[in-house]
Amino acid sequence: MSKSPLDYAKQAQELCVLSDVYMTLNRMLSSDSCSMEELAGAIAYEPAIAASILKIANSAMFSMPRKIDNLSKALVLLGIGEVKKLVNAYGVTAAFSSIDPKVADMDKFWEISVDCALICQYFSKNKQILNTDSIFLSGLFHNLGMLAIVHSEPDRVRYCEGYDSDETPWLRQRELFGFTFADCTTELLKLWNLPDTIIQPIAEFNRVELAPLAANSKLLYMASRLAVINAEPGVYTKEALINQLVLDDLDISLDEINQSLEYCNLQAMELLATFPIQGRMR
């Protein structure tokens, strides 16, 4: 009997556990009574997360006017929304940091994930698309289902990842599993009780050609395709992989797509070096 996305997600949940530090920080961030000072004190006990927050606070992604060398100051300047984003990104990527690179091409996986997140971020800011507060994390996490499945189905995942210009990754996934890796991602993030604002675009973006969807789901659809094009130069064209109607709906031109890829390529190395992930090369 074939497994469902939920079956694979439950299996992965047992193998890829969210850290206690992440769970504690998430509870604090969800509490109205938690102050920035208390949060800074808790983060200080986890040097890896503290260092990551300081690195990102000082990165070009946030363009702060001056160098930030104090964790409390970084948290205040970033704001609670961005801190939640960074803690979620660190905690979830850490859960998958021990995947054997011999089983899956982790460099390519994280390159595509980070590129997708940055492209989502670029357009959510520059096009002022509604309901995109969490779209960076949707982009970063959208393909985690692959890592959830690879533990038990390495050969089938390798086949899906061996796509070429005649077949898209998503077509291979549906043909072999009956669903896409994003469907498994959706179930895993639900089990981890992540916010629906992160999950909803992931649940929808691969169905963009079948039903009218929200703008954030369309944005993730476009970014996921651009990320594959960027990581696999020469395999696909933008015209072949992206529905022009989606670009028209989002009012995005070819020039703006090229600008987003330039932004992505400038930022990705810094981001890949910040989170506890194996992708380090471009």
Side-chain angles (χ1 to χ4, degrees):
M1 187 169 127
S2 60
K3 291 182 180 178
S4 69
L6 180 57
D7 292 330
Y8 285 112
K10 286 179 177 177
Q11 195 171 35
Q13 189 186 28
E14 296 173 2
L15 296 169
C16 303
V17 180
L18 295 174
S19 72
D20 291 340
V21 172
Y22 166 75
M23 300 299 286
T24 299
L25 291 175
N26 227 8
R27 281 196 296 272
M28 293 179 74
L29 286 163
S30 300
S31 170
D32 294 333
S33 61
C34 178
S35 68
M36 283 295 193
E37 290 76 16
E38 291 172 319
L39 187 60
I43 292 173
Y45 284 104
E46 182 54 42
I49 295 181
S52 290
I53 286 176
L54 282 171
K55 280 182 188 176
I56 294 176
N58 283 294
S59 74
M61 286 174 61
F62 293 100
S63 303
M64 292 299 175
R66 58 190 181 279
K67 190 77 173 174
I68 301 169
D69 57 6
N70 176 280
L71 184 57
S72 295
K73 193 182 295 183
L75 297 181
V76 170
L77 285 172
L78 288 173
I80 199 71
E82 289 298 336
V83 173
K84 282 183 179 179
K85 179 191 294 184
L86 297 179
V87 168
N88 270 311
Y90 191 96
V92 173
T93 55
F96 288 97
S97 62
S98 62
I99 296 282
D100 185 350
K102 295 176 184 175
V103 176
D105 185 344
M106 298 304 295
D107 283 331
K108 185 174 85 167
F109 175 87
W110 285 118
E111 180 182 351
I112 289 173
S113 299
V114 166
D115 285 358
C116 183
L118 289 169
I119 293 165
C120 282
Q121 178 171 274
Y122 178 87
F123 281 112
S124 68
K125 287 181 177 179
N126 285 273
K127 303 299 286 189
Q128 298 181 325
I129 297 170
L130 296 176
N131 303 318
T132 56
D133 289 347
S134 300
I135 196 66
F136 174 87
L137 292 178
S138 299
L140 186 64
F141 299 159
H142 79 283
N143 208 32
L144 284 180
M146 186 198 105
L147 302 187
I149 296 172
V150 77
H151 287 287
S152 56
E153 306 279 5
D155 292 337
R156 297 176 84 192
V157 168
R158 276 194 212 97
Y159 171 77
C160 289
E161 290 298 287
Y163 51 81
D164 54 33
S165 58
D166 294 328
E167 280 186 296
T168 69
W170 311 280
L171 180 60
R172 282 204 172 193
Q173 292 161 28
R174 284 197 183 99
E175 286 178 344
L176 202 58
F177 289 100
F179 55 82
T180 67
F181 294 156
D183 295 319
C184 186
T185 306
T186 299
E187 298 299 337
L188 181 62
L189 299 187
K190 285 179 181 177
L191 290 174
W192 279 345
N193 294 311
L194 264 66
D196 187 58
T197 51
I198 298 173
I199 298 171
Q200 169 253 316
I202 297 173
E204 295 180 350
F205 78 99
N206 277 327
R207 297 172 176 82
V208 74
E209 294 172 354
L210 303 177
L213 298 181
N216 56 354
S217 300
K218 292 177 182 177
L219 175 54
L220 182 56
Y221 159 86
M222 181 197 68
S224 67
R225 272 66 183 166
L226 282 178
V228 169
I229 292 168
N230 203 37
E232 303 273 13
V235 177
Y236 300 109
T237 65
K238 299 178 184 74
E239 293 79 10
L241 216 55
I242 302 172
N243 188 320
Q244 183 62 43
L245 292 175
V246 174
L247 297 181
D248 293 342
D249 286 346
L250 295 173
D251 191 26
I252 290 174
S253 67
L254 183 59
D255 282 345
E256 288 171 317
I257 284 177
N258 292 333
Q259 289 162 16
S260 76
L261 292 175
E262 288 176 15
Y263 169 83
C264 166
N265 292 333
L266 284 171
Q267 303 289 344
M269 280 296 288
E270 191 169 23
L271 199 57
L272 282 167
T274 299
F275 293 129
I277 55 184
Q278 293 174 347
R280 291 291 182 270
M281 304 296 293
R282 274 182 89 81

